[in-house]
Amino acid sequence: MTGMAVPDRAYRRSWHGAHREAAIHVHAERRANRLTLPYLVMIALIVAVVGMWGLEFAERRAAPADRVAQSFAASPPGASASPHFAICGSGRRVNCVVDGDTFWMAGEKIRILDIDTPELSPPRCAAEARLGEAAKARLHALLNSGTVTLERDGRDRDRYGRLLRRVHVDGQPVGAALIREGLARPYGGGRRSWCG
């Protein structure tokens, strides 16, 4: 037959082959999607279980400190404790010293009433930085030397949310000791420079 186009067998085969490859590809994609969903669900469950375990672990670890903080905050004036104090770092703060007049105790941030110590964040000069570090080190040593007693006198908290307390160690006023040693001065309101 002349004049009529007869489909070439090779062409038909390749068309059927391409069609079959496309069908196989679609089938493989559907199978991959069916397999992916259970894996995603399993991964989500693992993440949820590990997350809950981590949260429970963190809560159990923090619970004693939180209970102490709550009972401590609700305790009457003159409450005392003998925790070990560290120097505050970047982690969670429970019992640590920030600077010469501020520290954390039982998860509460406390500002010592009626004294002012050199600033450390930021110091205005090298002399203030040196004196500020000395005041922080001395407060750290004092707090670890005996039983710490806090007394409320007037306002409960300052504008930064810190508890305002008179602090005693074994009955001795910490603020007076720091003033006597030249590491603090009576609080005069506001920030004053310790530079010259």
Side-chain angles (χ1 to χ4, degrees):
M1 284 175 137
T2 9
M4 233 176 119
V6 177
D8 183 13
R9 280 180 180 255
Y11 172 75
R12 273 188 284 152
R13 237 181 287 132
S14 68
W15 183 85
H16 287 295
H19 180 68
R20 194 171 341 138
E21 281 180 28
I24 289 170
H25 179 69
V26 168
H27 179 69
E29 192 175 303
R30 284 183 187 153
R31 196 168 95 205
N33 287 343
R34 279 195 307 253
L35 291 175
T36 304
L37 183 60
Y39 286 123
L40 289 175
V41 169
M42 187 169 50
I43 289 169
L45 286 173
I46 290 170
V47 167
V49 167
V50 168
M52 286 188 303
W53 175 81
L55 183 60
E56 182 182 330
F57 176 75
E59 285 174 353
R60 265 189 286 145
R61 189 170 175 205
D66 291 345
R67 277 197 299 274
V68 171
Q70 289 166 3
S71 65
F72 187 73
S75 63
S80 63
S82 298
H84 173 74
F85 290 88
I87 298 294
C88 293
S90 59
R92 186 164 182 256
R93 296 176 173 192
V94 179
N95 297 312
C96 63
V97 176
V98 176
D99 59 26
D101 55 27
T102 307
F103 64 98
W104 287 77
M105 183 170 173
E108 284 281 357
K109 194 171 188 181
I110 297 162
R111 171 68 163 80
I112 301 174
L113 266 175
D114 297 335
I115 68 165
D116 177 43
T117 59
E119 290 297 326
L120 288 173
S121 57
R124 293 182 187 93
C125 62
E128 184 172 38
R130 279 192 305 277
L131 203 54
E133 288 296 335
K136 178 168 77 170
R138 183 64 178 133
L139 177 60
H140 179 249
L142 286 168
L143 292 175
N144 283 317
S145 68
T147 301
V148 178
T149 305
L150 304 180
E151 293 178 8
R152 181 177 171 180
D153 185 8
R155 279 190 313 153
D156 185 48
R157 294 184 185 268
D158 67 5
R159 63 182 175 174
Y160 304 108
R162 301 176 294 188
L163 289 175
L164 297 171
R165 297 293 186 266
R166 295 194 189 285
V167 180
H168 294 80
V169 175
D170 290 340
Q172 300 301 310
V174 170
L178 291 170
I179 291 171
R180 195 169 48 249
E181 295 172 20
L183 300 171
R185 60 187 170 207
Y187 184 71
R191 289 178 70 172
R192 295 182 304 170
S193 174
W194 286 80
C195 301

